[in-house]
Amino acid sequence: VATLVADPSPYGAVVVTGAGSSFSAGGDLYWLRKRHEEAPNKNAQIMREFYNRFLCVRQIPLPVVAAINGPAIGAGLCFAMACDVRVAAKTAKLGFTFVGLGIHPGMGATHFVANAAGAETAARLLLTGDIISGAEAKDLGIVSQVAEDGPAAVEAAMAVAARMAAQAPIAVRATVLSLRRRQDDGLDRALQREADAQATCYNSS
């Protein structure tokens, strides 16, 4: 990420996907359980640092396309939501499963999901922890395009990125910045609220 931020000129767009047949299974459960050992104020700080480690993808001054080639769960799906465009395999399993683990959603979930799919869909997905397919995610507005399977999703994401990269680079980068500025309005407040709420959950569950 640091290399792309420092000098994006050799590139026109970025595609991120998972290794193997999964996009991301989410956070490290052992690491999450260790949060019970910390005080809430310390946990809030730890969670903000954790969020920033992944949300730095939004600092890349290029379009970032997520190719959801397989399961994307919890923080893994939140990472995808931080990307500019999402393409998913029809059969990929997607879910914001935080509440089932006894913790508040994090990594901007309450912000990005509502922005992409509306408040009611965000409430349903975040409060139930429902696992949905890539096809349903497309219907709900969580992703913009679906493909038959994981490899096809990567191929489709690469095609979208290639079309972006074929456009005038300065105009593309400026448009990315304009779109993100609008999307990021209120993001910092949401991240702090999520970090504080997760810290409270860790010490009460």
Side-chain angles (χ1 to χ4, degrees):
V1 170
T3 300
L4 290 170
V5 170
D7 182 16
S9 60
Y11 309 98
V14 175
V15 174
V16 293
T17 192
S21 59
S22 296
F23 182 79
S24 174
D28 183 335
L29 292 180
Y30 174 77
W31 183 83
L32 291 174
R33 292 189 189 102
K34 294 284 286 183
R35 303 279 59 79
H36 295 282
E37 300 174 7
E38 300 286 354
N41 61 336
K42 179 64 174 176
N43 269 330
Q45 177 185 344
I46 289 170
M47 296 316 299
R48 280 305 299 265
E49 292 170 355
F50 175 82
Y51 303 162
N52 292 339
R53 198 177 309 151
F54 293 93
L55 297 182
C56 66
V57 69
R58 295 185 67 78
Q59 296 173 15
I60 298 173
L62 298 166
V64 179
V65 182
I68 304 175
N69 58 317
I73 304 297
L77 184 50
C78 292
F79 173 75
M81 296 302 298
C83 297
D84 300 300
V85 175
R86 289 165 293 284
V87 178
K90 285 182 179 179
T91 56
K93 302 302 181 185
L94 287 68
F96 302 96
T97 54
F98 297 92
V99 292
L101 298 173
I103 58 176
H104 188 285
M107 261 183 69
T110 58
H111 179 86
F112 290 123
V113 183
N115 275 0
E120 185 172 346
T121 295
R124 176 206 152 186
L125 296 179
L126 297 178
L127 295 173
T128 64
D130 282 351
I131 303 293
I132 61 174
S133 67
E136 185 177 358
K138 168 69 164 57
D139 292 340
L140 293 174
I142 298 297
V143 305
S144 62
Q145 186 176 338
V146 291
E148 285 301 319
D149 54 24
V154 175
E155 184 177 339
M158 292 292 287
V160 171
R163 295 201 302 275
M164 295 173 175
Q167 309 309 311
I170 293 176
V172 167
R173 291 175 205 164
T175 303
V176 166
L177 180 60
S178 295
L179 289 169
R180 289 185 190 161
R181 280 185 174 171
R182 179 185 180 280
Q183 294 161 358
D184 288 351
D185 184 32
L187 175 59
D188 190 68
R189 293 191 301 275
L191 292 173
Q192 190 59 56
R193 167 62 188 163
E194 290 177 355
D196 289 342
Q198 284 193 327
T200 300
C201 291
Y202 291 136
N203 288 86
S204 63
S205 59

